[in-house]
């Protein structure tokens, strides 16, 4: 039988292949993942420090602020003076506005402190474990 020389192929099948390119690619992927993990850790550490600073600042402001009972006492005192005709209505309105603004400011500081604390807990992975 005549063998057609165009159809004859000869291939050797490697019994052991090192796959150097595949290993190099895998090592590069591992290196990239490790670099990403390091960067993420640095970013989270920095974010935690920022949130902790915000939390401390809010708590400091709240600890130095006027007590709500004192605000209410001064507001009632202004109303009493107005009812007796000792101060004008404009002063009472201004006192009410200041009391409202102070209360609003305190509420905003409380909210900022709680948000910062929640972010810290989330970064540390204990958000669901903590009770506020």
């Amino acid at each position: 039988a005549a063998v057609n020389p165009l159809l004859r192929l000869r291939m050797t099948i490697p019994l052991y292949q090192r796959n150097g390119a595949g290993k190099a690619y895998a090592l590069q992927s591992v290196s990239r993942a490790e670099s990403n993990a390091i960067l993420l850790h640095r970013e989270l550490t920095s974010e935690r420090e920022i949130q902790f600073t915000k939390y401390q600042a809010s708590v400091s402001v709240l600890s130095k602020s006027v007590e709500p009972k004192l605000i209410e006492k001064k507001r009632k005192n202004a109303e009493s003076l107005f009812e007796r005709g000792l101060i004008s209505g404009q002063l009472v309105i201004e006192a009410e506005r200041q009391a409202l603004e102070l209360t609003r400011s305190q509420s905003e500081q409380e909210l900022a402190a709680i948000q910062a604390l929640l972010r810290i807990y989330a970064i540390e992975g204990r958000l669901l474990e903590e009770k506020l």
Side-chain angles (χ1 to χ4, degrees):
V3 177
N4 187 347
L6 296 175
L7 294 178
R8 185 181 281 179
L9 296 173
R10 185 175 230 185
M11 288 183 65
T12 57
I13 300 174
L15 297 177
Y16 177 73
Q17 184 178 16
R18 289 188 177 189
N19 193 8
K23 286 182 182 179
Y25 181 75
L27 287 174
Q28 186 181 27
S29 295
V30 168
S31 176
R32 188 174 27 241
E34 288 172 348
S35 295
N36 287 341
I38 291 169
L39 289 174
L40 181 61
H41 178 69
R42 286 181 186 163
E43 184 179 318
L44 288 175
T45 301
S46 175
E47 179 64 22
R48 188 196 177 285
E49 289 174 11
I50 290 168
Q51 294 303 323
F52 187 70
T53 302
K54 285 181 181 180
Y55 176 76
Q56 284 182 321
S58 294
V59 169
S60 175
V61 167
L62 286 169
S63 68
K64 295 174 185 175
S65 65
V66 179
E67 290 284 327
K69 290 179 183 178
L70 183 60
I71 296 170
E72 183 64 21
K73 181 179 176 183
K74 288 188 176 196
R75 192 182 69 70
K76 285 185 179 182
N77 186 29
E79 286 179 7
S80 173
L81 291 173
F82 172 73
E83 288 173 357
R84 291 188 282 170
L86 299 175
I87 61 172
S88 69
Q90 292 174 341
L91 288 176
V92 173
I93 292 171
E94 181 61 22
E96 291 287 340
R97 187 197 65 74
Q98 288 179 359
L100 176 66
E101 186 60 35
L102 187 57
T103 303
R104 180 182 295 135
S105 175
Q106 287 176 337
S107 296
E108 288 172 356
Q109 287 298 324
E110 288 174 355
L111 180 61
I114 290 170
Q115 287 175 337
L117 189 59
L118 287 174
R119 287 184 182 123
I120 290 169
Y121 287 162
I123 290 169
E124 293 176 350
R126 56 188 186 132
L127 181 62
L128 300 177
E129 299 168 3
E130 296 293 334
K131 294 180 183 177
L132 295 178

